[in-house]
Amino acid sequence: MSASEVPAAPRQRGGRNLPAAIGVGVGLGAAVVLSLFFVKALFVVVVLAAAAVAIWELCGALAKAGIAVPLPPLMAGGLATLASAYVGGTEAVAIGAALTVLGVFVYRMPQGAEGFVRDASAAVFIFGYVPVLGSFVVLMTAEEDGAWRIVTFIVVTIASDIFGYAAGYKLGKHPMAPTISPKKSWEGFGGSVVGCVLAGVLCVVFLLEGRWWVGVLLGLVAVAMATLGDLSESMIKRDVGIKDMSDLLPGHGGLMDRLDSLLAVAPVCWLVLHFLVPVS
């Protein structure tokens, strides 16, 4: 979640318990690093677990708006698509998407025509939001230097959060999207831009042995997509009338509240690195 926001109090961000949030963040980061560098396939398992929780949270959130998402075919198809991406690449994602959509239709039909379009469309929306966007994380992992590509992807996205928070806290005065996220400021967004570009250059040059301008490009597209991901999830929560996707993570809310920016950045990060940074 992009953090170009002006917090309400020095020790909290958006009313959250900052020490708890830091502790949870460190724990999640440790799980990612350990799985990624010891057994890459284990990292894919971590991605599958995160996707399962994210799908469950989104289904629960939409249920508050009276939308009954067909969860079993969505969950099965979504996780199968993510797992198959590791060995089958983009073709596997396309096949998984087609089969999941058909599975949702078949599963929902016995419940009658009333609400069919609403419920099935919601399932397709969640599939595109989590498994499809998340599949690009798996695709990066599958590369020979996938561990460092994932580190680059995570560091660039987190840089948007950290630098945006710092700039927004110190300088934030001009709201960026007051009707969507009132605490997000243009000053914070500027901090996110600086942080993403700096992180992009350092990671691309020193971790992936790529060219510096690729790092600049990565940083610019990453900050744009991280901000879009943050605002998009805020729109979903406002639409269904909730503050957090769940209370699963102390100090953070739901897991989707942490994955929104990562999911949005994953496709553009894969695109830039896949075509502009040769596998080292």
Side-chain angles (χ1 to χ4, degrees):
M1 180 176 182
S2 179
S4 51
E5 302 180 358
V6 186
R11 295 181 60 191
Q12 296 180 334
R13 176 185 172 189
R16 304 193 190 283
N17 185 322
L18 190 56
I22 294 173
V24 170
V26 170
L28 292 174
V32 168
V33 171
L34 289 175
S35 62
L36 186 60
F37 283 95
F38 282 92
V39 183
K40 283 204 296 185
L42 184 58
F43 175 71
V44 176
V45 174
V46 173
V47 173
L48 290 175
V53 174
I55 291 171
W56 170 76
E57 287 182 342
L58 282 167
C59 288
L62 295 184
K64 292 179 172 60
I67 302 173
V69 180
L71 180 59
L74 171 60
M75 185 70 77
L79 298 186
T81 298
L82 281 169
S84 62
Y86 187 65
V87 294
T90 54
E91 293 84 357
V93 177
I95 295 171
L99 293 177
T100 301
V101 170
L102 292 174
V104 165
F105 290 167
V106 171
Y107 184 89
R108 179 58 180 76
M109 281 182 182
Q111 300 173 44
E114 185 177 355
F116 177 84
V117 173
R118 176 199 62 202
D119 299 342
S121 297
V124 174
F125 165 73
I126 294 175
F127 181 82
Y129 194 1
V130 179
V132 171
L133 296 184
S135 68
F136 289 94
V137 178
V138 178
L139 292 174
M140 283 188 281
T141 307
E143 300 279 5
E144 289 184 21
D145 59 350
W148 293 115
R149 289 174 184 255
I150 293 297
V151 169
T152 298
F153 154 64
I154 293 175
V155 168
V156 169
T157 308
I158 291 177
S160 173
D161 193 30
I162 295 175
F163 280 75
Y165 176 86
Y169 179 82
K170 293 292 186 181
L171 305 172
K173 293 181 180 179
H174 300 89
M176 184 179 183
T179 61
I180 302 174
S181 184
K183 294 180 181 178
K184 189 175 299 299
S185 68
W186 282 108
E187 291 82 1
F189 178 73
S192 292
V193 172
V194 172
C196 276
V197 170
L198 179 61
V201 171
L202 292 176
C203 288
V204 168
V205 172
F206 293 104
L207 299 184
L208 300 176
E209 300 179 358
R211 291 162 289 187
W212 67 269
W213 63 266
V214 177
V216 173
L217 176 63
L218 177 61
L220 291 175
V221 297
V223 72
M225 297 311 296
T227 304
L228 176 62
D230 181 26
L231 293 176
S232 297
E233 200 219 16
S234 294
M235 288 289 286
I236 295 172
K237 291 188 290 187
R238 283 182 175 273
D239 189 24
V240 300
I242 59 176
K243 180 181 178 182
D244 297 317
M245 284 295 177
S246 75
D247 57 359
L248 181 66
L249 303 177
H252 289 268
L255 187 60
M256 264 304 299
D257 297 305
R258 298 299 91 197
L259 296 180
D260 53 2
S261 295
L262 289 166
L263 287 171
V265 172
V268 296
C269 187
W270 175 83
L271 187 67
V272 170
L273 297 183
H274 182 75
F275 288 102
L276 298 180
V277 180
V279 175
S280 57

